[in-house]
Amino acid sequence: MKTRRTQNLMTVALVCMAVSIATKAQAADPLASWNDGPAKKSITEFVAKVTKEGSPDFVPPEERIATFDNDGTLWAEQPMYFQFLFAIDRVKALAPQHPEWKEKEPFASLLKGDMKTALAGGEHAFLEIVAGTHSGMTTEEFDRIVREWLATAKHPKTARLYTEMVYQPMLELLAYLRANGFKTFIVSGGGVEFMRAFADKVYGIPPEQVVGSTGKLKFELRDGGAELLKLPEIQFIDDKEGKPVGIQMNIGRRPIAAFGNSDGDLQMLQWTAAGSGARFCLYIHHDDATREWAYDRQSSIGRLDKGLDEAKVKGWTVVSMKDDWKRIFPFEK
Amino acid sequence: MKTRRTQNLMTVALVCMAVSIATKAQAADPLASWNDGPAKKSITEFVAKVTKEGSPDFVPPEERIATFDNDGTLWAEQPMYFQFLFAIDRVKALAPQHPEWKEKEPFASLLKGDMKTALAGGEHAFLEIVAGTHSGMTTEEFDRIVREWLATAKHPKTARLYTEMVYQPMLELLAYLRANGFKTFIVSGGGVEFMRAFADKVYGIPPEQVVGSTGKLKFELRDGGAELLKLPEIQFIDDKEGKPVGIQMNIGRRPIAAFGNSDGDLQMLQWTAAGSGARFCLYIHHDDATREWAYDRQSSIGRLDKGLDEAKVKGWTVVSMKDDWKRIFPFEK
């Protein structure tokens, strides 16, 4: 007898089944852009053992912290860090308001298009350009400026939006880890407010899970409002030894999994590996000059030298972009 | 006809109903320790309007950020900040390893039990005591030391564990906000690593949602391991103007609700109030000398003076502990 109640029950059950089928379909190949091989296998085996209740390697969900470098790990970083390309565009846009830049290095050379002379001053010149373009506005104004740039600026080689230059296999990996109860964080040398402008939409990582370098901020009461003004001084550099420090300050737990691509990530991986229980460390090796770029020990951007040696000694996973990834960018067929 | 399938369906439906009933029972009086009155009403009305889809005040769950001061807002802070009482106990415990403290202020007076002379040096003396007791160990060793102290040390007036000196109405408020899709954060002048040692267990706030003052950390490779050593230098003070700055650095979103009890929280409340859309600011007023303590404009600890004036002008909620709270501590009958 099909009463109304039975019909309702059947509806509930059908919905449940539909959800279950959808979940299974999704779970069928969560890492579809990864070739079968040791790298993919090391990931799925690690996730299987830390999520299996009763297993000696089981880790409760709240401790499943995974940290990801951004430049070169989640999106590309050639021919130069994208945030620096943003800074260069900002120097050009702001030049009319800064007539003094015509005479002042590194801005003068940069405005003439002479990048080599502009950057001859090394790190100091680099920081001058960043400070000059990342301060003097509120945090909310800066966020708007970054979003506008990301919506329009194109990569010099691919002519794609920068937010399209993300690695499809890493997007899948982020989603796969989250589906297995992990909390995913960015821990990167990039500016925290620059990364937050796209991390949520592009990676599914909310602002409060982005750890990065920070500039000093000044609280100001203005016309009945209250704002934070960005100052041209550095508060914290989230790179090398700064990465475990940034993790401790912001997250307060040692990650159980860490992902990077350069020597700047080495201390984060060392700190992650040194915790008790099951741990997972992974380096991405840029070895695909055809589909992306090939660089490692000699590169000034994203140098991977000591890290490559240590990965071998410690048995960390090293991903060959060439061999392990079916597809690099989402826009590839 | 009751087939096996129908039985299964009914089981599913019964489980769903049981869950639904349990949820409703829990929701019946989520703020049971709050007296009915304007303070409680202001909270429930705010939550109702920001969670109602289609309402002009609706706020999507990911933006429902609520920040709470700790000392005097979530737990008591008299006769002195509990973390400072911890530091005093540590000076006593560490004295045998520091024979030089016998001759060195503020330690010498403190060890003689002469608190007045010990603190005559003001903020400098205070920071000396904190630095001397909060550095020289790894972050994990410090966490263990704090947990041991919290498990045994007793409050000088009530003889209760410090973690029992939390406000029952605020525990209910934290749970109520989370049940309504809010993400709750601590944003306090206290040391971040001190607070993390109990925030998860006591407040249900995980380490990554605790923002506080920080000391400098040093990354060290040791015997094949990797540790963060606590240095006796300050990295960041999360108080007054530091609170909105700490929120921006760690959370990256302007809260929609903020809770404090002193002038040290004023900038956090101002910054919260100045955002667009519905906002909620609340001050706890310590006016119950019988059940807790009564202090405000003249107190050296938890002074509430400018904040009390601004709350009146801006129409922020001011909670009278005496009138608005049925019960203050969980151990009260």
Side-chain angles (χ1 to χ4, degrees):
Chain A
M1 193 180 74
K2 248 193 186 170
T3 63
R4 184 169 187 139
R5 178 162 178 152
T6 313
Q7 278 179 332
N8 286 345
L9 291 175
M10 287 192 66
T11 307
V12 168
L14 283 170
V15 169
C16 288
M17 282 166 64
V19 169
S20 162
I21 288 162
T23 309
K24 274 177 197 157
Q26 216 172 21
D29 197 359
L31 301 175
S33 300
W34 292 72
N35 285 316
D36 290 326
K40 182 174 182 173
K41 194 164 169 245
S42 70
I43 295 169
T44 53
E45 283 181 352
F46 172 76
V47 170
K49 71 181 176 184
V50 298
T51 54
K52 194 186 171 192
E53 284 202 59
S55 134
D57 293 315
F58 179 74
V59 176
E62 65 273 17
E63 287 170 26
R64 292 181 204 156
I65 303 290
T67 55
F68 289 81
D69 170 57
N70 183 44
D71 298 303
T73 299
L74 295 179
W75 76 358
E77 60 183 353
Q78 297 288 359
M80 203 173 277
Y81 298 123
F82 295 175
Q83 188 174 358
F84 193 68
L85 297 174
F86 161 77
I88 292 171
D89 282 355
R90 290 304 297 160
V91 168
K92 290 175 191 161
L94 292 166
Q97 294 158 244
H98 290 274
E100 78 280 10
W101 283 355
K102 274 187 196 154
E103 313 292 331
K104 194 185 165 195
E105 289 299 348
F107 303 98
S109 297
L110 201 154
L111 286 169
K112 283 179 214 143
D114 179 359
M115 192 65 71
K116 206 179 157 189
T117 308
L119 292 180
E123 192 184 9
H124 180 75
F126 185 87
L127 290 175
E128 279 272 297
I129 292 167
V130 172
T133 53
H134 286 63
S135 65
M137 70 291 277
T138 69
T139 50
E140 281 156 10
E141 284 162 0
F142 181 75
D143 180 71
R144 198 163 49 242
I145 292 165
V146 176
R147 282 172 199 266
E148 280 170 17
W149 183 80
L150 288 170
T152 51
K154 300 285 173 65
H155 187 275
K157 185 181 159 192
T158 65
R160 295 277 175 175
L161 293 175
Y162 289 100
T163 50
E164 292 180 276
M165 301 285 291
V166 296
Y167 303 132
Q168 176 63 28
M170 296 307 282
L171 298 181
E172 293 167 10
L173 178 55
L174 286 168
Y176 172 65
L177 289 174
R178 288 193 293 259
N180 281 283
F182 282 75
K183 203 161 176 177
T184 54
F185 289 81
I186 290 177
V187 177
S188 184
V192 71
E193 281 145 357
F194 182 82
M195 297 188 288
R196 282 176 181 153
F198 63 92
D200 205 350
K201 195 174 156 195
V202 175
Y203 304 133
I205 297 181
E208 62 269 28
Q209 286 163 228
V210 179
V211 180
S213 296
T214 53
K216 290 210 158 116
L217 299 172
K218 185 168 181 274
F219 177 76
E220 278 196 351
L221 292 175
R222 296 179 164 187
D223 314 326
E227 299 294 344
L228 291 170
L229 195 70
K230 283 174 71 68
L231 303 181
E233 294 154 56
I234 286 165
Q235 169 77 23
F236 180 72
I237 298 283
D238 190 55
D239 197 30
K240 300 193 173 71
E241 290 82 4
K243 289 207 175 194
V245 172
I247 293 170
Q248 176 62 19
M249 288 196 311
N250 288 273
I251 307 175
R253 308 191 204 243
R254 206 188 275 247
I256 66 163
F259 304 82
N261 76 299
S262 81
D263 284 356
D265 302 311
L266 182 55
Q267 290 82 357
M268 172 167 79
L269 270 61
Q270 287 171 329
W271 195 56
T272 299
S276 59
R279 302 280 151 168
F280 187 78
C281 291
L282 180 151
Y283 260 131
I284 286 165
H285 190 193
H286 293 264
D287 61 356
D288 190 332
T290 310
R291 296 184 301 170
E292 209 241 4
W293 284 269
Y295 57 98
D296 49 30
R297 296 183 191 272
Q298 306 300 327
S299 179
S300 63
I301 288 178
R303 175 173 304 178
L304 179 60
D305 182 30
K306 289 180 191 167
L308 211 48
D309 295 335
E310 186 143 344
K312 196 170 279 182
V313 173
K314 299 272 181 73
W316 297 341
T317 296
V318 177
V319 169
S320 159
M321 291 178 84
K322 196 165 163 235
D323 299 331
D324 288 315
W325 287 359
K326 279 198 186 94
R327 193 160 66 137
I328 293 188
F329 298 113
F331 54 77
E332 288 168 24
K333 270 166 208 161
Chain B
M1 195 180 72
K2 250 191 184 170
T3 63
R4 185 168 185 138
R5 173 159 183 157
T6 313
Q7 278 179 332
N8 285 345
L9 291 174
M10 286 192 68
T11 308
V12 168
L14 283 170
V15 169
C16 288
M17 281 166 66
V19 169
S20 162
I21 288 163
T23 310
K24 273 178 195 156
Q26 214 173 23
D29 198 359
L31 301 175
S33 300
W34 291 72
N35 285 315
D36 289 327
K40 182 175 182 172
K41 195 165 168 243
S42 71
I43 294 168
T44 53
E45 283 182 353
F46 172 76
V47 170
K49 73 181 177 187
V50 298
T51 55
K52 194 185 171 193
E53 284 203 57
S55 134
D57 293 313
F58 179 74
V59 176
E62 65 272 18
E63 287 169 27
R64 292 181 204 157
I65 303 291
T67 54
F68 290 81
D69 170 58
N70 183 43
D71 298 304
T73 299
L74 295 179
W75 76 357
E77 59 184 351
Q78 298 288 359
M80 205 173 273
Y81 298 122
F82 296 174
Q83 189 175 356
F84 193 67
L85 297 174
F86 161 77
I88 292 172
D89 282 355
R90 290 304 295 161
V91 169
K92 291 174 191 161
L94 292 167
Q97 295 159 243
H98 291 274
E100 77 281 9
W101 282 356
K102 273 187 195 151
E103 313 291 332
K104 195 185 164 194
E105 290 298 352
F107 303 99
S109 297
L110 201 154
L111 287 168
K112 283 179 212 142
D114 180 359
M115 192 64 73
K116 206 178 156 189
T117 308
L119 292 180
E123 192 184 8
H124 180 73
F126 185 88
L127 290 176
E128 279 271 297
I129 292 167
V130 171
T133 54
H134 286 62
S135 65
M137 71 290 278
T138 69
T139 50
E140 279 155 13
E141 283 162 1
F142 181 76
D143 181 71
R144 198 163 50 242
I145 292 166
V146 176
R147 283 172 199 266
E148 280 170 16
W149 183 80
L150 288 169
T152 52
K154 300 286 172 66
H155 187 274
K157 186 181 159 191
T158 64
R160 296 277 175 176
L161 292 175
Y162 289 100
T163 50
E164 292 180 276
M165 301 286 291
V166 296
Y167 304 133
Q168 175 63 28
M170 297 306 282
L171 298 181
E172 293 167 9
L173 178 55
L174 286 168
Y176 172 65
L177 290 174
R178 288 193 292 257
N180 280 284
F182 283 76
K183 203 163 178 178
T184 54
F185 288 82
I186 290 177
V187 176
S188 185
V192 71
E193 282 146 356
F194 181 82
M195 297 188 288
R196 282 176 181 152
F198 62 92
D200 205 349
K201 195 175 155 195
V202 176
Y203 305 134
I205 297 180
E208 62 269 28
Q209 285 163 227
V210 179
V211 180
S213 296
T214 53
K216 291 210 159 127
L217 300 172
K218 184 168 181 273
F219 177 76
E220 277 194 352
L221 293 175
R222 297 181 165 187
D223 313 326
E227 299 294 343
L228 292 170
L229 195 70
K230 283 174 71 69
L231 302 182
E233 293 155 56
I234 287 164
Q235 169 78 22
F236 180 71
I237 298 282
D238 190 55
D239 197 32
K240 301 192 173 73
E241 290 81 2
K243 289 207 174 194
V245 172
I247 293 171
Q248 176 62 20
M249 288 196 310
N250 288 273
I251 308 176
R253 307 192 203 244
R254 205 188 275 248
I256 66 162
F259 303 82
N261 76 300
S262 80
D263 285 355
D265 302 310
L266 181 55
Q267 289 81 357
M268 172 168 77
L269 270 61
Q270 287 170 330
W271 195 56
T272 300
S276 60
R279 301 280 150 166
F280 187 78
C281 292
L282 180 150
Y283 259 131
I284 286 166
H285 190 195
H286 293 263
D287 61 355
D288 191 333
T290 311
R291 296 185 300 171
E292 209 242 2
W293 284 270
Y295 57 97
D296 49 29
R297 296 184 191 272
Q298 306 301 327
S299 179
S300 62
I301 287 178
R303 175 173 302 177
L304 179 60
D305 182 31
K306 288 181 193 168
L308 211 48
D309 295 334
E310 186 142 345
K312 196 171 276 181
V313 173
K314 299 270 181 76
W316 296 342
T317 296
V318 177
V319 169
S320 159
M321 290 178 85
K322 196 163 163 235
D323 298 332
D324 288 314
W325 287 0
K326 279 197 188 93
R327 193 159 66 135
I328 292 187
F329 298 114
F331 54 78
E332 289 169 24
K333 273 165 203 159

